[in-house]
Amino acid sequence: MNGMISLLERDEPRTRLEAALAAARSGRGRIVSLEGEAGIGKTSLAQAFIDAQRPHARIHVGGCEHLATPEPLGPLRDIARESQGRFAISPVGHLATFEALLRMLQGGRGPALLVIEDIHWADDATLDCLRFLGRRIRTAPVLVLVTFRSDEPDSRARLVSFWADMPRDARERIELPPLSLDAVGQLVRGSGRDVGGVYALTGGNPFHVTEFLTADNDNAVPRNVQDVTLARAARLSAIGRRTLEHASIFPRQIDEETLRRIDGGGDDGPAHAGVEECLASGMLNVRDGRLAFRHELARRAIHEALSPLRRRELHAAALALLKGRNDRRAAEIAHHAEQAGAPEDLVRFSIAAAQEAAPLGAYRETAAHLSRAIEHGVFLPESDRAQLLQRKAYAAFFCGAYDEAMTALGAASESYRRGGDVGGLGETLRTAGHVQWGLGDPDLAEASFDEAVRALQVQPGSWQYASALASQSLFDTLADRNDLAVQRARDALARAEALGRWDIYMRALTALRTAEASTDLDGGAAALRDAIAEGRRRGEADALPRLYANLTSVLSRGRRYEGLDALFDEGLTACSARDQAPLVALIRGNRASVLLDRGRLEDALTEAEDVIHGPYPKGAAALPSMIALSRTRVRLGLPEGGLLDQARRMPTVRRDLLWRAPVAMALAEVEWLDGEGDGVAAGELEAVLDGLCASWSQLWNIGEVALWLAILGRRPRLSARAAEQLGAPHRAYLEGRWRDAADGWAALCCPYEQAIALSDGDEDAQREGLALFDRLGAVPAARRLRRRMRAAGQRS
């Protein structure tokens, strides 16, 4: 069975194959077919099944070849060559050959597994052999497995009568579906490719997915896929090939009316015949009432095979037709304009397409449309280009394309400075601050926010000034300036409400509620939930991802787990709906931290690795996953991989308590497990604790940092006010009440901390803690406790 582990989403057909072989073993033989389109994995599944069953069955394998004239009994000749004289093709006739094959299959110990691949290319005699066997193996220990390509009309028509002739109780057909989006995601993981894009291109066909991932770039059609597609197209008539070429200029879905008009003729003309032939051949299919290629890679292969002049002519014809339609789609027209070499139409409709995409939260598409307009809009006035650059930067920031955003912002700010546009400059600087913080450089971000606020003070009634105040207040919260954050947020709220700018209002409200949560976790979290409800009520969908990211951050760090799983799911849905990849990474990192807290180390490992190796920005948004992955690997005794050192080099980790605290605790755990620390981790924890108490922010971290100081053997310096922030298990541990601490951690479902507390108890408690460490797979902690128990004289 090991050979089948790597096959994705083939458990159900695998189970059916195993059941069929088990039935054959008990004397109930049958013929089973694996069916599906080319590249769907029929051969891979069949081969894996063969490899798994070699110790348990007598296996004979043959295959049909795609020859101009099939070789008579070609698969049986393969079997004869490998049978070592037990079977041979009879010179007397086919029937004698069939009987000899049946005798070999029925003789011997154990069931026989006869595999014949690609019977869509089989000669008539081979099909006759299968009919012969099908009527005679129903009471024999024989399983016949055939593979069959079902996406070509000739093979489908030819095999209809074959299956009709087969006794119903002797046949079983297994159709392999395409891979799901999740399965494609597993194949794509670590490649840096966009899962949704790969899925859309390949339709979930495993062959196309794997071939595409070997290509040098996302725009190239893999040579193998191109060869297969063009070979299939060559079998069409001249009319069918013409229609297929014309259809290839339409990405994803084909506008059939436009296709017929380009192709010539109406419902009864050559275009109609061409469409029908392409549908019958499987080159095109009907999807949601519209024509489409089975795979986007197939369309690209046909499109790239056109001559440049022919390609341009076809797109120009489509452009002219679509521009005159009332139901036209800007993105579609822009596509044809680019291919036709029509720059004015390209710029006009790219801008319109961006205006359509942005309200839907499709920020990747928005940025792409605006990039195209900027690139080709050299004839636009400078002020118009600056606005396009700013809009592109905003969209790129949302979806995490930070470098692209900064490039656009730099060009826009230069243009605004030259033109003396204060409002445009201030908004550009504000956006730059967000991008720089996302990149992990808070000093640059602060400089941009400060400059934006100063520049816009001359326009105190503008929406840009209210926007800058809202962003500055959020940054103040992240930098632990809570009083200033609250002041600026309330100012921004009032200005935004007066202007009716609810998008700015919601950003200011997010900053205000997050600042409140920093000093009153439960009250602030409730207020953040209310803000989410208000955002939904006002229809401000862009505000929801940040609200969910902040809410899950404070709840996960404050160990408030009730209802948190649902919030993770809601937040990820809100982020995906608005194309906000950085906040997806942030929320998933929060979830990885919670999985780690709750002892689900393998799940935490998977969640964090998906973010680190996935298509997410590698700046501040990745820090929760980096920290969670580092701590998980350390707890499991795996190589840490330099993640903490990488995190510590980021300016935001060196400066902001938001990240200094969790990194300091991760370093403390490493030092505790090694048992050879030089006090660096404890010193950093003490500095963080002093900072938390001085700024009086992120109060949930006071107990966590104090806990790790105590674990390292340092007594934390806590004022009476700070001591009031300790949770029950933290307080119990600091006071030496190990049993109360352990019970408190158990109530929170935090088994690692529970085991640490038990380690300070009596012999029975230590054995209990050791069992917890072992159950978690926390090898280093278990090894440390064993050494301690042996040193105390305990045995076994």
Side-chain angles (χ1 to χ4, degrees), residues 446-507:
E446 184 155 24
S448 294
F449 285 131
D450 286 345
E451 187 179 356
V453 171
R454 286 198 308 272
L456 290 165
Q457 283 174 341
V458 299
Q459 297 180 353
S462 66
W463 66 264
Q464 289 95 335
Y465 184 57
S467 182
L469 285 174
S471 291
Q472 180 70 71
S473 66
L474 182 59
F475 184 79
D476 288 333
T477 301
L478 298 172
D480 301 303
R481 297 189 292 260
N482 291 322
D483 292 342
L484 188 56
V486 169
Q487 175 187 329
R488 281 176 166 155
R490 287 175 175 164
D491 189 1
L493 280 171
R495 293 174 185 275
E497 188 171 15
L499 292 166
R501 286 296 300 264
W502 301 112
D503 56 334
I504 301 172
Y505 176 91
M506 288 306 304
R507 272 196 285 116

Side-chain angles (χ1 to χ4, degrees), residues 148-287:
F148 160 49
R149 183 182 295 177
S150 60
D151 57 345
E152 296 183 0
D154 291 343
S155 59
R156 285 199 303 268
R158 188 157 177 260
L159 290 172
V160 165
S161 60
F162 167 74
W163 288 119
D165 292 342
M166 194 71 62
R168 287 187 175 275
D169 61 346
R171 63 179 169 88
E172 181 179 354
R173 303 177 69 174
I174 301 175
E175 185 170 356
L176 299 184
L179 300 178
S180 69
L181 181 63
D182 288 342
V184 172
Q186 294 182 53
L187 293 174
V188 170
R189 183 180 300 156
S191 70
R193 307 290 179 96
D194 175 62
V195 176
V198 174
Y199 182 77
L201 282 170
T202 62
N205 181 290
F207 169 72
H208 288 174
V209 173
T210 54
E211 288 297 317
F212 179 72
L213 293 177
T214 64
D216 293 334
N217 62 73
D218 290 353
N219 294 318
V221 178
R223 181 62 181 270
N224 288 347
V225 175
Q226 190 172 48
D227 291 345
V228 170
T229 302
L230 295 180
R232 292 188 64 192
R235 295 199 288 269
L236 299 174
S237 69
I239 291 175
R241 289 196 300 274
R242 172 187 169 90
T243 297
L244 195 65
E245 290 173 352
H246 293 178
S248 73
I249 70 171
F250 298 96
R252 308 215 185 276
Q253 288 191 328
I254 299 165
D255 188 296
E256 190 170 356
E257 178 186 342
T258 307
L259 173 62
R260 292 183 189 277
R261 292 177 66 182
I262 294 174
D263 209 26
D267 291 341
D268 298 324
H272 176 76
V275 168
E276 292 301 318
E277 184 180 0
C278 289
L279 287 172
S281 69
M283 296 298 291
L284 299 180
N285 60 18
V286 177
R287 188 181 304 157

Side-chain angles (χ1 to χ4, degrees), residues 629-630 633-634 638-646 649:
L629 183 55
S630 172
R633 287 176 175 172
V634 166
L638 301 174
E640 191 268 345
L643 287 164
L644 279 184
D645 285 342
Q646 183 182 341
R649 287 194 294 270

Side-chain angles (χ1 to χ4, degrees), residues 105 126 148 161 245 285 353-354 359 371 545 602 673 725-726:
L105 295 175
T126 296
F148 160 49
S161 60
E245 290 173 352
N285 60 18
S371 294
E602 294 294 340
L673 289 172
Q725 305 304 317
L726 298 176

